[in-house]
Amino acid sequence: SGAVDEQMLKFESAKSLKVVCFTARARIPHGHVMGQTYMFCAPPGDAEASKAVAALVHAMYETESVAVVRYVRVRNAQPYLGILHPKIKPDQEFFYFHTLPFAEDLRQYVFRSNQEAKEKLCAAERDKLDAVQALVASMDLMKAGPEGTEALKPKTVFNPCLQHLYQATRHRAVHPSAPLVTLDKNIATFARAWEDKGVLRKMLDDARPAIRKVVELFPLKALGGGREPRRHWFAADGVDVSLDS
């Protein structure tokens, strides 16, 4: 019967994480890392498991290696081929799990080298290339912060809307009848980065000469004629055919 055939063809798997082999991190092309990233760590409160994971993490980190694993998230789920990448933080050792592609997932495309066209473009458009490079360099955030430090580090920049929501929710839970508090000064710094004394305002002022040079070399021109009339897919021999004909 159909139910029996379906049961026979159904893939069955057990929840598991099995190491297939260890390999050098350099042998895993960055373009082969797919999908979402998960963090694998020892169960909270399990001292023996924490020691074992820490030992393995440090050993793999020192040898610059990763573990190729077969991962099944839940029973009868699709198995994934992936790597465990060691990560060491001051208060914890753990692994990052990245999915790897199967052979059917890989696409190998070969393109002709554009080196010759690039060299001709560089020779003919050197002033434009220099102007764009100067613009990019003038808007570099690595030294735009106080005393030449990096500005707006991703680890220290938070979404002002979400942070204000969390702040208001916490305040309302503790003080149900009190009015909502104003936006925290530290959070407001990120929302006002473009204002007169903001980090991005100074960077923009410093980049104005480069911006003017780019505007000069890349003038915007209005295109005449407007949009071409729309043609139906069933038009024949260049003659449009209406539905009423």
Side-chain angles (χ1 to χ4, degrees):
S1 64
V4 175
D5 294 339
E6 182 179 352
Q7 187 64 29
M8 291 179 62
L9 295 174
K10 184 178 179 180
F11 178 79
E12 296 184 357
S13 60
K15 180 179 179 180
S16 62
L17 177 67
K18 298 181 179 180
V19 176
V20 178
C21 66
F22 292 93
T23 187
R25 176 66 182 89
R27 297 186 62 185
I28 305 297
H30 185 73
H32 287 186
V33 176
M34 302 171 51
Q36 297 181 351
T37 300
Y38 298 95
M39 186 180 79
F40 289 0
C41 58
D46 192 334
E48 295 299 324
S50 298
K51 290 180 181 179
V53 170
L56 184 58
V57 167
H58 280 271
M60 293 173 59
Y61 183 85
E62 292 173 1
T63 57
E64 297 183 354
S65 60
V66 295
V68 179
V69 298
R70 179 184 185 272
Y71 174 53
V72 180
R73 188 175 63 87
V74 294
R75 182 174 176 270
N76 292 338
Q78 174 185 352
Y80 289 96
L81 184 68
I83 60 171
L84 293 181
H85 185 272
K87 182 66 176 180
I88 301 175
K89 287 193 173 183
D91 57 344
Q92 188 180 20
E93 294 90 358
F94 57 91
F95 293 100
Y96 281 129
F97 172 81
H98 308 284
T99 305
L100 292 177
F102 291 101
E104 295 82 359
D105 300 322
L106 294 175
R107 300 291 185 271
Q108 301 293 343
Y109 298 108
V110 180
F111 298 95
R112 186 176 61 182
S113 174
N114 64 345
Q115 185 62 31
E116 181 179 353
K118 182 179 178 181
E119 292 176 353
K120 291 182 179 178
L121 177 64
C122 290
E125 307 288 345
R126 172 55 60 185
D127 54 342
K128 294 183 178 180
L129 290 173
D130 292 342
V132 173
Q133 289 177 355
L135 175 62
V136 173
S138 65
M139 302 183 71
D140 187 3
L141 291 174
M142 296 305 297
K143 297 182 179 180
E147 300 180 358
T149 59
E150 181 180 355
L152 304 180
K153 289 185 178 180
K155 288 186 177 181
T156 60
V157 176
F158 303 95
N159 187 324
C161 297
L162 290 178
Q163 293 301 319
H164 187 43
L165 173 63
Y166 302 152
Q167 179 188 3
T169 303
R170 182 172 60 251
H171 181 79
R172 179 52 55 87
V174 179
H175 309 285
S177 58
L180 293 179
V181 296
T182 58
L183 184 63
D184 184 84
K185 182 169 59 176
N186 294 327
I187 301 174
T189 302
F190 306 121
R192 298 167 182 163
W194 286 109
E195 292 187 358
D196 293 340
K197 296 183 180 180
V199 173
L200 298 183
R201 172 57 59 182
K202 182 180 182 302
M203 182 190 69
L204 180 61
D205 292 339
D206 295 340
R208 289 191 186 280
I211 295 175
R212 285 195 292 266
K213 186 64 175 178
V214 170
V215 172
E216 176 186 345
L217 294 176
F218 295 91
L220 297 179
K221 300 179 181 179
L223 298 178
R227 298 179 58 183
E228 296 183 359
R230 183 178 179 183
R231 297 182 63 237
H232 296 293
W233 62 269
F234 45 76
D237 298 330
V239 179
D240 198 0
V241 181
S242 66
L243 294 176
D244 297 331
S245 60

